[in-house]
Amino acid sequence: MAKVLVLFAHPRPDTSEVNQPLFQTAQAVEGVSAIDLYAEYPDFGIDIDREQARLVAHDVIVFQHPLYWYSAPAIMKEWQDLVLEHGFAYGLHGKALQGKIFLNAITTGARPEAYSTEGMNHAELRSLLGPFEKTADLCGMRYLAPFVMFGAGRAREEDRVTVHRNAYDDLLKALVADRFDLDKASKAALLTDVLDDFILKGEAV
Ligand SMILES: Cc1cc2nc3c(=O)[nH]c(=O)nc-3n(C[C@H](O)[C@H](O)[C@H](O)COP(=O)(O)O)c2cc1C
């Protein structure tokens, strides 16, 4: 069994139509530690030792957040800047994160067609998330394709929230049970609601 850490960042959870319900899903999965960073650190006073201990105690690290300015809400940057220290996360003696798994579980305002080389953003989502992938690489973690819901602003009226919550539940449970095809997921462009290709059946690997 793998230990999965979900670090959730949303500065206005009271207005969230997708991330807040997704976070509730994560909180209910056995084997998942679900942490709300804005709730724990409303003044950004991140406890570095505690966060590093959390990382060491888990095998899979998930950043769950809405996409804000092609990145994450501010506390996630603060968390990275303070917690991923030289000598802990990277550098000659910084080996604490080596071999762990990392992924972003995100929602976007824009529709999927905006995230293509021909679309509004002139790039695929995974390449826009390059700083997360490069950070994971530098820390010796294995980066998986992002789990994404596009067009989140319309998800509720289009009745897409439950399907996505169920897919998130499947994803987290498969990660806990070591039944996720990490090779395939590290090479893929995206993980979406259709996870069948990535979830391994039968014996845990
Ligand atoms: C400050 C801010 C920045 C945003 N930047 C982006 C962006 O870069 N790309 C995008 O597709 N949507 C962007 N959005 C839209 C959010 O991603 C969208 O509102 C969110 O995913 C909805 O999830 P929620 O219901 O959990 O809040 C932005 C929204 C805000 C408030």
Side-chain angles (χ1 to χ4, degrees):
M1 301 287 270
K3 291 189 182 123
V4 176
L5 176 64
V6 172
L7 295 173
F8 169 53
H10 197 304
R12 295 287 312 278
D14 54 316
T15 66
S16 167
E17 295 187 358
V18 183
N19 278 280
Q20 185 61 25
L22 284 178
F23 184 60
Q24 286 164 2
T25 297
Q27 285 174 303
V29 177
E30 205 176 321
V32 171
S33 310
I35 307 297
D36 179 345
L37 290 178
Y38 278 102
E40 290 219 1
Y41 303 115
D43 301 318
F44 278 46
I46 291 171
D47 182 335
I48 297 171
D49 290 343
R50 180 194 202 190
E51 294 304 315
Q52 290 182 346
R54 271 184 179 142
L55 289 175
V56 169
H58 292 83
D59 309 299
V60 181
I61 317 300
V62 180
F63 275 12
Q64 190 212 309
H65 57 93
L67 193 68
Y68 275 9
W69 299 117
Y70 303 100
S71 186
I75 202 166
M76 226 148 219
K77 184 65 165 60
E78 182 78 349
W79 184 98
Q80 290 173 77
D81 293 349
L82 294 176
V83 178
L84 302 180
E85 284 181 318
H86 182 265
F88 170 77
Y90 69 101
L92 191 57
H93 303 292
K95 309 281 182 209
L97 305 181
Q98 296 234 334
K100 297 185 190 290
I101 309 293
F102 178 89
L103 78 147
N104 298 88
I106 62 172
T107 61
T108 75
R111 297 280 192 177
E113 51 277 13
Y115 290 95
S116 67
T117 43
E118 300 78 34
M120 188 182 88
N121 292 313
H122 304 290
E124 306 277 341
L125 183 63
R126 179 164 174 167
S127 68
L128 289 168
L129 294 172
F132 293 101
E133 182 160 359
K134 289 293 149 211
T135 300
D137 284 351
L138 188 74
C139 297
M141 295 193 283
R142 188 165 191 185
Y143 184 83
L144 305 188
F147 175 69
V148 58
M149 175 198 260
F150 293 105
R154 295 223 189 125
R156 198 189 263 175
E157 68 190 71
E158 293 171 356
D159 221 5
R160 288 186 282 124
V161 179
T162 304
V163 170
H164 199 66
R165 282 186 77 165
N166 290 340
Y168 196 36
D169 188 64
D170 290 345
L171 168 68
L172 293 173
K173 284 178 176 163
L175 288 167
V176 168
D178 279 335
R179 285 199 172 147
F180 207 67
D181 190 334
L182 301 175
D183 281 343
K184 197 177 255 187
S186 60
K187 289 180 196 128
L190 295 173
L191 306 177
T192 58
D193 294 346
V194 186
L195 287 169
D196 286 358
D197 283 356
F198 296 96
I199 293 177
L200 302 166
K201 312 285 182 280
E203 292 300 303
V205 290

mmCIF file with all atom_site columns, all heavy atoms in Angstrom, residues 10 15-20 66-70 107-110 115 152, ligand 1:
data_model
loop_
_atom_site.group_PDB
_atom_site.id
_atom_site.type_symbol
_atom_site.label_atom_id
_atom_site.label_alt_id
_atom_site.label_comp_id
_atom_site.label_asym_id
_atom_site.label_entity_id
_atom_site.label_seq_id
_atom_site.pdbx_PDB_ins_code
_atom_site.Cartn_x
_atom_site.Cartn_y
_atom_site.Cartn_z
_atom_site.occupancy
_atom_site.B_iso_or_equiv
_atom_site.pdbx_formal_charge
_atom_site.auth_seq_id
_atom_site.auth_comp_id
_atom_site.auth_asym_id
_atom_site.auth_atom_id
_atom_site.pdbx_PDB_model_num
ATOM   1   N N   . HIS A 1 10  ? -6.743  26.372 -2.217  1.00 0.00 ? 10  HIS A N   1
ATOM   2   C CA  . HIS A 1 10  ? -7.775  27.212 -2.836  1.00 0.00 ? 10  HIS A CA  1
ATOM   3   C C   . HIS A 1 10  ? -8.020  28.381 -1.884  1.00 0.00 ? 10  HIS A C   1
ATOM   4   O O   . HIS A 1 10  ? -8.425  28.164 -0.739  1.00 0.00 ? 10  HIS A O   1
ATOM   5   C CB  . HIS A 1 10  ? -9.068  26.416 -3.043  1.00 0.00 ? 10  HIS A CB  1
ATOM   6   C CG  . HIS A 1 10  ? -10.001 27.061 -4.021  1.00 0.00 ? 10  HIS A CG  1
ATOM   7   N ND1 . HIS A 1 10  ? -10.463 28.352 -3.879  1.00 0.00 ? 10  HIS A ND1 1
ATOM   8   C CD2 . HIS A 1 10  ? -10.552 26.606 -5.180  1.00 0.00 ? 10  HIS A CD2 1
ATOM   9   C CE1 . HIS A 1 10  ? -11.254 28.656 -4.906  1.00 0.00 ? 10  HIS A CE1 1
ATOM   10  N NE2 . HIS A 1 10  ? -11.305 27.613 -5.711  1.00 0.00 ? 10  HIS A NE2 1
ATOM   11  N N   . THR A 1 15  ? -16.237 29.665 -2.461  1.00 0.00 ? 15  THR A N   1
ATOM   12  C CA  . THR A 1 15  ? -16.745 29.922 -3.820  1.00 0.00 ? 15  THR A CA  1
ATOM   13  C C   . THR A 1 15  ? -16.455 28.760 -4.772  1.00 0.00 ? 15  THR A C   1
ATOM   14  O O   . THR A 1 15  ? -16.840 28.804 -5.941  1.00 0.00 ? 15  THR A O   1
ATOM   15  C CB  . THR A 1 15  ? -16.091 31.187 -4.420  1.00 0.00 ? 15  THR A CB  1
ATOM   16  O OG1 . THR A 1 15  ? -14.682 30.925 -4.597  1.00 0.00 ? 15  THR A OG1 1
ATOM   17  C CG2 . THR A 1 15  ? -16.279 32.402 -3.527  1.00 0.00 ? 15  THR A CG2 1
ATOM   18  N N   . SER A 1 16  ? -15.741 27.759 -4.283  1.00 0.00 ? 16  SER A N   1
ATOM   19  C CA  . SER A 1 16  ? -15.284 26.675 -5.156  1.00 0.00 ? 16  SER A CA  1
ATOM   20  C C   . SER A 1 16  ? -16.415 25.697 -5.492  1.00 0.00 ? 16  SER A C   1
ATOM   21  O O   . SER A 1 16  ? -17.041 25.140 -4.587  1.00 0.00 ? 16  SER A O   1
ATOM   22  C CB  . SER A 1 16  ? -14.141 25.920 -4.475  1.00 0.00 ? 16  SER A CB  1
ATOM   23  O OG  . SER A 1 16  ? -13.885 24.705 -5.147  1.00 0.00 ? 16  SER A OG  1
ATOM   24  N N   . GLU A 1 17  ? -16.625 25.483 -6.772  1.00 0.00 ? 17  GLU A N   1
ATOM   25  C CA  . GLU A 1 17  ? -17.668 24.539 -7.187  1.00 0.00 ? 17  GLU A CA  1
ATOM   26  C C   . GLU A 1 17  ? -17.098 23.154 -7.478  1.00 0.00 ? 17  GLU A C   1
ATOM   27  O O   . GLU A 1 17  ? -17.836 22.184 -7.546  1.00 0.00 ? 17  GLU A O   1
ATOM   28  C CB  . GLU A 1 17  ? -18.386 25.073 -8.422  1.00 0.00 ? 17  GLU A CB  1
ATOM   29  C CG  . GLU A 1 17  ? -19.143 26.355 -8.127  1.00 0.00 ? 17  GLU A CG  1
ATOM   30  C CD  . GLU A 1 17  ? -20.000 26.833 -9.284  1.00 0.00 ? 17  GLU A CD  1
ATOM   31  O OE1 . GLU A 1 17  ? -19.998 26.191 -10.359 1.00 0.00 ? 17  GLU A OE1 1
ATOM   32  O OE2 . GLU A 1 17  ? -20.657 27.865 -9.115  1.00 0.00 ? 17  GLU A OE2 1
ATOM   33  N N   . VAL A 1 18  ? -15.795 23.075 -7.698  1.00 0.00 ? 18  VAL A N   1
ATOM   34  C CA  . VAL A 1 18  ? -15.209 21.782 -8.077  1.00 0.00 ? 18  VAL A CA  1
ATOM   35  C C   . VAL A 1 18  ? -14.134 21.332 -7.075  1.00 0.00 ? 18  VAL A C   1
ATOM   36  O O   . VAL A 1 18  ? -14.180 20.214 -6.566  1.00 0.00 ? 18  VAL A O   1
ATOM   37  C CB  . VAL A 1 18  ? -14.626 21.828 -9.505  1.00 0.00 ? 18  VAL A CB  1
ATOM   38  C CG1 . VAL A 1 18  ? -14.098 20.454 -9.898  1.00 0.00 ? 18  VAL A CG1 1
ATOM   39  C CG2 . VAL A 1 18  ? -15.671 22.303 -10.497 1.00 0.00 ? 18  VAL A CG2 1
ATOM   40  N N   . ASN A 1 19  ? -13.183 22.205 -6.782  1.00 0.00 ? 19  ASN A N   1
ATOM   41  C CA  . ASN A 1 19  ? -12.077 21.765 -5.919  1.00 0.00 ? 19  ASN A CA  1
ATOM   42  C C   . ASN A 1 19  ? -12.508 21.399 -4.510  1.00 0.00 ? 19  ASN A C   1
ATOM   43  O O   . ASN A 1 19  ? -11.980 20.440 -3.935  1.00 0.00 ? 19  ASN A O   1
ATOM   44  C CB  . ASN A 1 19  ? -10.991 22.846 -5.872  1.00 0.00 ? 19  ASN A CB  1
ATOM   45  C CG  . ASN A 1 19  ? -10.097 22.765 -7.075  1.00 0.00 ? 19  ASN A CG  1
ATOM   46  O OD1 . ASN A 1 19  ? -9.193  21.942 -7.130  1.00 0.00 ? 19  ASN A OD1 1
ATOM   47  N ND2 . ASN A 1 19  ? -10.374 23.591 -8.077  1.00 0.00 ? 19  ASN A ND2 1
ATOM   48  N N   . GLN A 1 20  ? -13.442 22.159 -3.964  1.00 0.00 ? 20  GLN A N   1
ATOM   49  C CA  . GLN A 1 20  ? -13.872 21.850 -2.598  1.00 0.00 ? 20  GLN A CA  1
ATOM   50  C C   . GLN A 1 20  ? -14.535 20.463 -2.543  1.00 0.00 ? 20  GLN A C   1
ATOM   51  O O   . GLN A 1 20  ? -14.175 19.639 -1.697  1.00 0.00 ? 20  GLN A O   1
ATOM   52  C CB  . GLN A 1 20  ? -14.787 22.967 -2.073  1.00 0.00 ? 20  GLN A CB  1
ATOM   53  C CG  . GLN A 1 20  ? -15.205 22.823 -0.631  1.00 0.00 ? 20  GLN A CG  1
ATOM   54  C CD  . GLN A 1 20  ? -14.036 22.835 0.359   1.00 0.00 ? 20  GLN A CD  1
ATOM   55  O OE1 . GLN A 1 20  ? -12.969 23.391 0.081   1.00 0.00 ? 20  GLN A OE1 1
ATOM   56  N NE2 . GLN A 1 20  ? -14.221 22.189 1.491   1.00 0.00 ? 20  GLN A NE2 1
ATOM   57  N N   . PRO A 1 66  ? -6.952  24.777 -8.261  1.00 0.00 ? 66  PRO A N   1
ATOM   58  C CA  . PRO A 1 66  ? -7.384  25.358 -9.528  1.00 0.00 ? 66  PRO A CA  1
ATOM   59  C C   . PRO A 1 66  ? -6.163  25.949 -10.243 1.00 0.00 ? 66  PRO A C   1
ATOM   60  O O   . PRO A 1 66  ? -5.200  26.358 -9.566  1.00 0.00 ? 66  PRO A O   1
ATOM   61  C CB  . PRO A 1 66  ? -8.354  26.471 -9.095  1.00 0.00 ? 66  PRO A CB  1
ATOM   62  C CG  . PRO A 1 66  ? -7.922  26.845 -7.711  1.00 0.00 ? 66  PRO A CG  1
ATOM   63  C CD  . PRO A 1 66  ? -7.336  25.592 -7.100  1.00 0.00 ? 66  PRO A CD  1
ATOM   64  N N   . LEU A 1 67  ? -6.180  25.968 -11.558 1.00 0.00 ? 67  LEU A N   1
ATOM   65  C CA  . LEU A 1 67  ? -5.096  26.622 -12.296 1.00 0.00 ? 67  LEU A CA  1
ATOM   66  C C   . LEU A 1 67  ? -5.292  28.125 -12.187 1.00 0.00 ? 67  LEU A C   1
ATOM   67  O O   . LEU A 1 67  ? -6.341  28.658 -12.579 1.00 0.00 ? 67  LEU A O   1
ATOM   68  C CB  . LEU A 1 67  ? -5.129  26.187 -13.766 1.00 0.00 ? 67  LEU A CB  1
ATOM   69  C CG  . LEU A 1 67  ? -3.885  26.548 -14.581 1.00 0.00 ? 67  LEU A CG  1
ATOM   70  C CD1 . LEU A 1 67  ? -2.674  25.734 -14.112 1.00 0.00 ? 67  LEU A CD1 1
ATOM   71  C CD2 . LEU A 1 67  ? -4.110  26.317 -16.075 1.00 0.00 ? 67  LEU A CD2 1
ATOM   72  N N   . TYR A 1 68  ? -4.326  28.812 -11.592 1.00 0.00 ? 68  TYR A N   1
ATOM   73  C CA  . TYR A 1 68  ? -4.351  30.271 -11.448 1.00 0.00 ? 68  TYR A CA  1
ATOM   74  C C   . TYR A 1 68  ? -3.142  30.832 -12.192 1.00 0.00 ? 68  TYR A C   1
ATOM   75  O O   . TYR A 1 68  ? -1.999  30.514 -11.856 1.00 0.00 ? 68  TYR A O   1
ATOM   76  C CB  . TYR A 1 68  ? -4.255  30.668 -9.972  1.00 0.00 ? 68  TYR A CB  1
ATOM   77  C CG  . TYR A 1 68  ? -5.571  30.680 -9.206  1.00 0.00 ? 68  TYR A CG  1
ATOM   78  C CD1 . TYR A 1 68  ? -6.749  30.176 -9.750  1.00 0.00 ? 68  TYR A CD1 1
ATOM   79  C CD2 . TYR A 1 68  ? -5.628  31.199 -7.921  1.00 0.00 ? 68  TYR A CD2 1
ATOM   80  C CE1 . TYR A 1 68  ? -7.945  30.197 -9.041  1.00 0.00 ? 68  TYR A CE1 1
ATOM   81  C CE2 . TYR A 1 68  ? -6.817  31.226 -7.203  1.00 0.00 ? 68  TYR A CE2 1
ATOM   82  C CZ  . TYR A 1 68  ? -7.971  30.723 -7.769  1.00 0.00 ? 68  TYR A CZ  1
ATOM   83  O OH  . TYR A 1 68  ? -9.140  30.745 -7.055  1.00 0.00 ? 68  TYR A OH  1
ATOM   84  N N   . TRP A 1 69  ? -3.404  31.657 -13.183 1.00 0.00 ? 69  TRP A N   1
ATOM   85  C CA  . TRP A 1 69  ? -2.324  32.269 -13.970 1.00 0.00 ? 69  TRP A CA  1
ATOM   86  C C   . TRP A 1 69  ? -1.311  31.203 -14.401 1.00 0.00 ? 69  TRP A C   1
ATOM   87  O O   . TRP A 1 69  ? -0.125  31.338 -14.183 1.00 0.00 ? 69  TRP A O   1
ATOM   88  C CB  . TRP A 1 69  ? -1.663  33.426 -13.216 1.00 0.00 ? 69  TRP A CB  1
ATOM   89  C CG  . TRP A 1 69  ? -2.650  34.516 -12.927 1.00 0.00 ? 69  TRP A CG  1
ATOM   90  C CD1 . TRP A 1 69  ? -3.078  34.960 -11.716 1.00 0.00 ? 69  TRP A CD1 1
ATOM   91  C CD2 . TRP A 1 69  ? -3.382  35.282 -13.904 1.00 0.00 ? 69  TRP A CD2 1
ATOM   92  N NE1 . TRP A 1 69  ? -4.034  35.940 -11.864 1.00 0.00 ? 69  TRP A NE1 1
ATOM   93  C CE2 . TRP A 1 69  ? -4.227  36.162 -13.193 1.00 0.00 ? 69  TRP A CE2 1
ATOM   94  C CE3 . TRP A 1 69  ? -3.414  35.319 -15.300 1.00 0.00 ? 69  TRP A CE3 1
ATOM   95  C CZ2 . TRP A 1 69  ? -5.098  37.056 -13.832 1.00 0.00 ? 69  TRP A CZ2 1
ATOM   96  C CZ3 . TRP A 1 69  ? -4.278  36.207 -15.929 1.00 0.00 ? 69  TRP A CZ3 1
ATOM   97  C CH2 . TRP A 1 69  ? -5.094  37.059 -15.195 1.00 0.00 ? 69  TRP A CH2 1
ATOM   98  N N   . TYR A 1 70  ? -1.847  30.121 -14.970 1.00 0.00 ? 70  TYR A N   1
ATOM   99  C CA  . TYR A 1 70  ? -1.029  29.028 -15.510 1.00 0.00 ? 70  TYR A CA  1
ATOM   100 C C   . TYR A 1 70  ? -0.172  28.366 -14.438 1.00 0.00 ? 70  TYR A C   1
ATOM   101 O O   . TYR A 1 70  ? 0.839   27.741 -14.735 1.00 0.00 ? 70  TYR A O   1
ATOM   102 C CB  . TYR A 1 70  ? -0.159  29.503 -16.685 1.00 0.00 ? 70  TYR A CB  1
ATOM   103 C CG  . TYR A 1 70  ? -1.006  30.110 -17.785 1.00 0.00 ? 70  TYR A CG  1
ATOM   104 C CD1 . TYR A 1 70  ? -1.132  31.490 -17.897 1.00 0.00 ? 70  TYR A CD1 1
ATOM   105 C CD2 . TYR A 1 70  ? -1.722  29.303 -18.649 1.00 0.00 ? 70  TYR A CD2 1
ATOM   106 C CE1 . TYR A 1 70  ? -1.950  32.044 -18.865 1.00 0.00 ? 70  TYR A CE1 1
ATOM   107 C CE2 . TYR A 1 70  ? -2.547  29.843 -19.607 1.00 0.00 ? 70  TYR A CE2 1
ATOM   108 C CZ  . TYR A 1 70  ? -2.665  31.220 -19.714 1.00 0.00 ? 70  TYR A CZ  1
ATOM   109 O OH  . TYR A 1 70  ? -3.484  31.755 -20.655 1.00 0.00 ? 70  TYR A OH  1
ATOM   110 N N   . THR A 1 107 ? -7.967  21.994 -11.905 1.00 0.00 ? 107 THR A N   1
ATOM   111 C CA  . THR A 1 107 ? -9.132  22.393 -12.684 1.00 0.00 ? 107 THR A CA  1
ATOM   112 C C   . THR A 1 107 ? -8.750  23.662 -13.446 1.00 0.00 ? 107 THR A C   1
ATOM   113 O O   . THR A 1 107 ? -7.950  24.463 -12.960 1.00 0.00 ? 107 THR A O   1
ATOM   114 C CB  . THR A 1 107 ? -10.329 22.712 -11.767 1.00 0.00 ? 107 THR A CB  1
ATOM   115 O OG1 . THR A 1 107 ? -9.982  23.804 -10.906 1.00 0.00 ? 107 THR A OG1 1
ATOM   116 C CG2 . THR A 1 107 ? -10.733 21.511 -10.928 1.00 0.00 ? 107 THR A CG2 1
ATOM   117 N N   . THR A 1 108 ? -9.313  23.811 -14.623 1.00 0.00 ? 108 THR A N   1
ATOM   118 C CA  . THR A 1 108 ? -9.053  25.034 -15.397 1.00 0.00 ? 108 THR A CA  1
ATOM   119 C C   . THR A 1 108 ? -10.382 25.723 -15.693 1.00 0.00 ? 108 THR A C   1
ATOM   120 O O   . THR A 1 108 ? -11.428 25.068 -15.780 1.00 0.00 ? 108 THR A O   1
ATOM   121 C CB  . THR A 1 108 ? -8.365  24.741 -16.743 1.00 0.00 ? 108 THR A CB  1
ATOM   122 O OG1 . THR A 1 108 ? -9.339  24.197 -17.661 1.00 0.00 ? 108 THR A OG1 1
ATOM   123 C CG2 . THR A 1 108 ? -7.213  23.766 -16.604 1.00 0.00 ? 108 THR A CG2 1
ATOM   124 N N   . GLY A 1 109 ? -10.309 27.028 -15.893 1.00 0.00 ? 109 GLY A N   1
ATOM   125 C CA  . GLY A 1 109 ? -11.485 27.754 -16.351 1.00 0.00 ? 109 GLY A CA  1
ATOM   126 C C   . GLY A 1 109 ? -11.711 27.513 -17.838 1.00 0.00 ? 109 GLY A C   1
ATOM   127 O O   . GLY A 1 109 ? -12.844 27.350 -18.302 1.00 0.00 ? 109 GLY A O   1
ATOM   128 N N   . ALA A 1 110 ? -10.611 27.474 -18.584 1.00 0.00 ? 110 ALA A N   1
ATOM   129 C CA  . ALA A 1 110 ? -10.704 27.363 -20.044 1.00 0.00 ? 110 ALA A CA  1
ATOM   130 C C   . ALA A 1 110 ? -11.045 25.936 -20.474 1.00 0.00 ? 110 ALA A C   1
ATOM   131 O O   . ALA A 1 110 ? -10.766 24.966 -19.775 1.00 0.00 ? 110 ALA A O   1
ATOM   132 C CB  . ALA A 1 110 ? -9.392  27.813 -20.675 1.00 0.00 ? 110 ALA A CB  1
ATOM   133 N N   . TYR A 1 115 ? -6.152  24.527 -24.609 1.00 0.00 ? 115 TYR A N   1
ATOM   134 C CA  . TYR A 1 115 ? -4.854  23.964 -24.233 1.00 0.00 ? 115 TYR A CA  1
ATOM   135 C C   . TYR A 1 115 ? -4.323  23.040 -25.331 1.00 0.00 ? 115 TYR A C   1
ATOM   136 O O   . TYR A 1 115 ? -4.227  21.834 -25.151 1.00 0.00 ? 115 TYR A O   1
ATOM   137 C CB  . TYR A 1 115 ? -4.957  23.256 -22.881 1.00 0.00 ? 115 TYR A CB  1
ATOM   138 C CG  . TYR A 1 115 ? -5.152  24.254 -21.766 1.00 0.00 ? 115 TYR A CG  1
ATOM   139 C CD1 . TYR A 1 115 ? -6.419  24.563 -21.293 1.00 0.00 ? 115 TYR A CD1 1
ATOM   140 C CD2 . TYR A 1 115 ? -4.067  24.942 -21.245 1.00 0.00 ? 115 TYR A CD2 1
ATOM   141 C CE1 . TYR A 1 115 ? -6.597  25.517 -20.309 1.00 0.00 ? 115 TYR A CE1 1
ATOM   142 C CE2 . TYR A 1 115 ? -4.230  25.906 -20.263 1.00 0.00 ? 115 TYR A CE2 1
ATOM   143 C CZ  . TYR A 1 115 ? -5.497  26.187 -19.792 1.00 0.00 ? 115 TYR A CZ  1
ATOM   144 O OH  . TYR A 1 115 ? -5.660  27.149 -18.830 1.00 0.00 ? 115 TYR A OH  1
ATOM   145 N N   . ALA A 1 152 ? -14.014 24.242 -15.706 1.00 0.00 ? 152 ALA A N   1
ATOM   146 C CA  . ALA A 1 152 ? -14.607 23.955 -14.394 1.00 0.00 ? 152 ALA A CA  1
ATOM   147 C C   . ALA A 1 152 ? -15.736 24.927 -14.039 1.00 0.00 ? 152 ALA A C   1
ATOM   148 O O   . ALA A 1 152 ? -16.643 24.558 -13.286 1.00 0.00 ? 152 ALA A O   1
ATOM   149 C CB  . ALA A 1 152 ? -13.526 23.985 -13.319 1.00 0.00 ? 152 ALA A CB  1
HETATM 150 C C1  . LIG B 2 .   ? -6.786  34.423 -10.027 1.00 0.00 ? 1   LIG B C1  1
HETATM 151 C C2  . LIG B 2 .   ? -7.327  33.457 -11.058 1.00 0.00 ? 1   LIG B C2  1
HETATM 152 C C3  . LIG B 2 .   ? -6.493  33.023 -12.082 1.00 0.00 ? 1   LIG B C3  1
HETATM 153 C C4  . LIG B 2 .   ? -6.959  32.097 -13.031 1.00 0.00 ? 1   LIG B C4  1
HETATM 154 N N1  . LIG B 2 .   ? -6.113  31.662 -14.019 1.00 0.00 ? 1   LIG B N1  1
HETATM 155 C C5  . LIG B 2 .   ? -6.550  30.743 -14.902 1.00 0.00 ? 1   LIG B C5  1
HETATM 156 C C6  . LIG B 2 .   ? -5.671  30.248 -15.923 1.00 0.00 ? 1   LIG B C6  1
HETATM 157 O O1  . LIG B 2 .   ? -4.495  30.613 -16.020 1.00 0.00 ? 1   LIG B O1  1
HETATM 158 N N2  . LIG B 2 .   ? -6.165  29.336 -16.814 1.00 0.00 ? 1   LIG B N2  1
HETATM 159 C C7  . LIG B 2 .   ? -7.451  28.872 -16.735 1.00 0.00 ? 1   LIG B C7  1
HETATM 160 O O2  . LIG B 2 .   ? -7.845  28.027 -17.557 1.00 0.00 ? 1   LIG B O2  1
HETATM 161 N N3  . LIG B 2 .   ? -8.295  29.302 -15.760 1.00 0.00 ? 1   LIG B N3  1
HETATM 162 C C8  . LIG B 2 .   ? -7.874  30.218 -14.853 1.00 0.00 ? 1   LIG B C8  1
HETATM 163 N N4  . LIG B 2 .   ? -8.717  30.643 -13.841 1.00 0.00 ? 1   LIG B N4  1
HETATM 164 C C9  . LIG B 2 .   ? -10.020 29.974 -13.669 1.00 0.00 ? 1   LIG B C9  1
HETATM 165 C C10 . LIG B 2 .   ? -9.938  28.918 -12.558 1.00 0.00 ? 1   LIG B C10 1
HETATM 166 O O3  . LIG B 2 .   ? -9.019  27.903 -12.897 1.00 0.00 ? 1   LIG B O3  1
HETATM 167 C C11 . LIG B 2 .   ? -11.322 28.319 -12.293 1.00 0.00 ? 1   LIG B C11 1
HETATM 168 O O4  . LIG B 2 .   ? -12.128 29.359 -11.779 1.00 0.00 ? 1   LIG B O4  1
HETATM 169 C C12 . LIG B 2 .   ? -11.235 27.169 -11.300 1.00 0.00 ? 1   LIG B C12 1
HETATM 170 O O5  . LIG B 2 .   ? -10.552 26.085 -11.881 1.00 0.00 ? 1   LIG B O5  1
HETATM 171 C C13 . LIG B 2 .   ? -12.613 26.716 -10.869 1.00 0.00 ? 1   LIG B C13 1
HETATM 172 O O6  . LIG B 2 .   ? -12.507 25.775 -9.817  1.00 0.00 ? 1   LIG B O6  1
HETATM 173 P P1  . LIG B 2 .   ? -13.285 25.980 -8.431  1.00 0.00 ? 1   LIG B P1  1
HETATM 174 O O7  . LIG B 2 .   ? -14.760 25.899 -8.764  1.00 0.00 ? 1   LIG B O7  1
HETATM 175 O O8  . LIG B 2 .   ? -12.848 24.899 -7.544  1.00 0.00 ? 1   LIG B O8  1
HETATM 176 O O9  . LIG B 2 .   ? -12.905 27.353 -7.915  1.00 0.00 ? 1   LIG B O9  1
HETATM 177 C C14 . LIG B 2 .   ? -8.281  31.597 -12.931 1.00 0.00 ? 1   LIG B C14 1
HETATM 178 C C15 . LIG B 2 .   ? -9.134  32.064 -11.893 1.00 0.00 ? 1   LIG B C15 1
HETATM 179 C C16 . LIG B 2 .   ? -8.653  32.971 -10.977 1.00 0.00 ? 1   LIG B C16 1
HETATM 180 C C17 . LIG B 2 .   ? -9.582  33.448 -9.877  1.00 0.00 ? 1   LIG B C17 1
#
